[in-house]
Amino acid sequence: EISLTGLSEKVLDNGVRLRARGALRLQADHPSRPGGIGGFGNLAAAPVGAFSGLSAGAPIDSSDIRTRLETAYLQVDGGYGELRVGKDLGVGARFHEGTRSALSHARLDSTLLDPTGLSTVRTRHDLTGQSLKVSYASPRILGVRGGVSYTPAADSDGLDRRPKAGTGGVSPETENAIELALNGTRRLRESGWRFDVGLAWSSADVSARGLAVPYDQVETWSAGTRIERDDWTFGASWLESENGLPQGTYNAWSAGVHRNAYDTDFSVEFGEASDDSAQLDGQSWRIGAARDFGPSTRLAIGYLDDRTETINQNWSSQGVVVEITLSQKIVEITGN
């Protein structure tokens, strides 16, 4: 993956901050899982989960390198909260809490790059992807912050989420999506413990693109926490979605432990997922370590174990992944 990010901001005399942010990304992911969409069967017209993106249809085969403008929003931030308009994540994903991973892109939960093509665990509450939306987030009061997002049409074809895509000629059309989320944080100074919690709910109207499929309202719930003390972090998260289909519930959970020692991040993660419509069960492990070499280079190495089962077939993949992340500020312009 290659990404180019730009940010411009201005603080007005009254303290209100104006910000414009954009991100252009280029990605070559697993050919059968572009944007997380995946078929794990051989049915000619199998419905795709409106949230999970999984189906019992035939696998996709796309080795194309994909380039997308993933982020492009305007933000106004002041004493009454924060307003964003444009291509951006909704508050459900932004307020997410869960395990920390030494791996950035090949992480277990809500993976960005899927080396095995079998990663099915997704507890990050991202129903609409990078579709155009408007979001409001309140100021943090007594450690608690609330937010709401509205997406008229979840039609983005992003690198990590493709809510309008499908398999076998069937894809969901998700409209009028609303997300509500809460995020709370609390630090106990005497003991050194810190607790972070995220809760989210979303709902949207779903109909079928292509063949007739009994899509209906999609409703999704999620919860997650992160607990820190000294160099240790424990995280866990859970999500359940009706997927917009009768008897098509998607469930996922993940948990993990992270520690920083000897200037190195270590993490162990485990998670499971099930999709009733795709008749699928998945299980994943990640064990990783990562270290920064200067301000612009990070090296991570991890062991992956992904397993997916359906009624007719089982898949499994194990191996080692190496992530080399290079980042560089190309140009910086400041002025009045």
Side-chain angles (χ1 to χ4, degrees):
E1 174 170 319
I2 299 173
S3 62
L4 181 64
T5 302
L7 173 67
S8 176
E9 63 179 34
K10 180 180 179 61
V11 179
L12 304 180
D13 294 338
N14 59 4
V16 173
R17 182 178 64 178
L18 306 179
R19 171 182 287 182
R21 182 179 178 87
L24 180 69
R25 294 168 57 198
L26 179 149
Q27 187 183 89
D29 206 348
H30 196 285
S32 66
R33 298 297 302 281
I37 295 293
F40 288 87
N42 54 16
L43 297 181
V48 177
F51 177 85
S52 69
L54 306 175
S55 80
I60 298 173
D61 185 10
S62 174
S63 58
D64 295 340
I65 296 177
R66 305 170 68 229
T67 303
R68 298 291 186 274
L69 180 65
E70 286 283 281
T71 304
Y73 67 79
L74 299 175
Q75 174 182 319
V76 180
D77 193 358
Y80 294 100
E82 170 194 286
L83 181 68
R84 291 187 186 183
V85 180
K87 292 174 63 67
D88 185 31
L89 293 172
V91 293
R94 287 167 51 195
F95 285 16
H96 171 79
E97 298 289 354
T99 185
R100 290 183 63 188
S101 177
L103 301 172
S104 61
H105 285 62
R107 65 198 187 204
L108 179 146
D109 196 329
S110 308
T111 182
L112 302 182
L113 289 174
D114 185 1
T116 68
L118 301 176
S119 179
T120 59
V121 179
R122 179 179 294 276
T123 66
R124 188 175 295 271
H125 197 135
D126 187 9
L127 175 65
T128 60
Q130 302 294 131
S131 305
L132 288 169
K133 58 176 60 70
V134 56
S135 299
Y136 168 77
S138 73
R140 195 173 290 277
I141 302 174
L142 299 177
V144 178
R145 190 183 195 195
V148 57
S149 295
Y150 174 71
T151 306
D155 56 0
S156 70
D157 185 21
L159 300 184
D160 307 317
R161 288 286 291 155
R162 303 178 67 196
K164 75 170 185 178
T167 59
V170 181
S171 58
E173 184 169 350
T174 305
E175 298 177 315
N176 298 318
I178 185 168
E179 304 171 45
L180 302 176
L182 287 173
N183 182 274
T185 183
R186 176 72 172 173
R187 181 184 293 275
L188 305 179
R189 298 186 182 275
E190 293 184 359
S191 62
W193 289 91
R194 173 173 172 167
F195 301 87
D196 294 279
V197 177
L199 302 171
W201 168 87
S202 66
S203 179
D205 300 324
V206 185
S207 56
R209 295 173 184 264
L211 302 177
V213 175
Y215 281 115
D216 200 352
Q217 196 85 2
V218 56
E219 191 170 22
T220 305
W221 294 86
S222 67
T225 186
R226 181 176 293 180
I227 303 171
E228 301 180 17
R229 185 180 183 186
D230 299 330
D231 296 326
W232 290 88
T233 301
F234 168 77
S237 53
W238 161 88
L239 180 141
E240 179 174 296
S241 176
E242 296 176 353
N243 251 341
L245 293 165
Q247 300 179 341
T249 301
Y250 171 81
N251 277 285
W253 69 269
S254 69
V257 177
H258 177 281
R259 188 190 182 193
N260 181 272
Y262 310 106
D263 297 323
T264 303
D265 292 326
F266 299 92
S267 66
V268 178
E269 308 163 74
F270 178 74
E272 292 183 330
S274 66
D275 191 304
D276 292 344
S277 177
Q279 298 181 312
L280 173 152
D281 292 292
Q283 184 182 97
S284 295
W285 277 97
R286 296 287 188 276
I287 302 174
R291 185 166 186 166
D292 293 329
F293 295 88
S296 60
T297 304
R298 182 175 176 86
L299 175 64
I301 184 169
Y303 174 76
L304 283 65
D305 187 319
D306 290 331
R307 303 172 187 270
T308 301
E309 301 179 359
T310 64
I311 294 178
N312 300 316
Q313 194 167 358
N314 298 337
W315 298 268
S316 66
S317 182
Q318 302 82 36
V320 174
V321 62
V322 177
E323 291 185 346
I324 302 173
T325 304
L326 307 175
S327 58
Q328 182 66 48
K329 183 177 291 185
I330 299 175
V331 63
E332 180 179 8
I333 300 174
T334 60
N336 298 322

